[in-house]
Amino acid sequence: MQKTFRSRDFTGNKPWAATDIASMNGISVRLHWTDAPYRWHVNDGEEVFTVLDGIVDMHYRENGIEKQVALQPGDIFFAGIGCEHVAHPRGAARILVVEKEGSV
């Protein structure tokens, strides 16, 4: 089966709305749309966070110290096990997230 997703055409009805792209052996691939920050969290496993459209400031903590990186389209953020983080988009953004199914 084949399906094409045009990320720039995807807009959610609320922040962090998502459409499921694929489910592969316990790993989910989802396209998210948002125009508001998420919340501080730690995933149940690793997470790959790729900005497709917009700019996202990713805040994360290392050894209790908050850090931040600005992610442009095409940039990828990897949150390893135990990485506390929160995404803050600058306006609307579209993000491809690959993570364990059911993760926060």
Side-chain angles (χ1 to χ4, degrees):
M1 180 171 118
Q2 181 281 6
K3 191 166 185 183
T4 301
F5 294 86
R6 304 237 183 252
S7 62
R8 289 187 187 180
D9 294 338
F10 177 64
T11 302
N13 56 359
K14 64 180 182 175
W16 295 100
T19 188
D20 294 325
I21 305 287
S23 175
M24 304 173 296
N25 297 318
I27 302 297
S28 70
V29 180
R30 302 180 84 199
L31 173 61
H32 290 267
W33 174 90
T34 190
D35 61 357
Y38 194 57
R39 60 177 170 80
W40 281 99
H41 67 286
V42 175
N43 292 78
D44 298 336
E46 295 140 324
E47 175 185 20
V48 175
F49 184 101
T50 305
V51 175
L52 301 176
D53 187 46
I55 298 173
V56 177
D57 292 322
M58 181 63 79
H59 300 255
Y60 60 99
R61 292 190 179 123
E62 278 184 351
N63 301 318
I65 298 170
E66 186 175 331
K67 298 183 179 186
Q68 175 183 323
V69 61
L71 302 172
Q72 307 275 338
D75 289 346
I76 301 166
F77 179 83
F78 174 74
I81 294 172
C83 176
E84 188 178 13
H85 59 286
V86 61
H88 287 255
R90 298 182 195 174
R94 289 161 183 90
I95 302 127
L96 187 71
V97 176
V98 180
E99 63 189 349
K100 180 180 170 185
E101 283 182 350
S103 191
V104 230

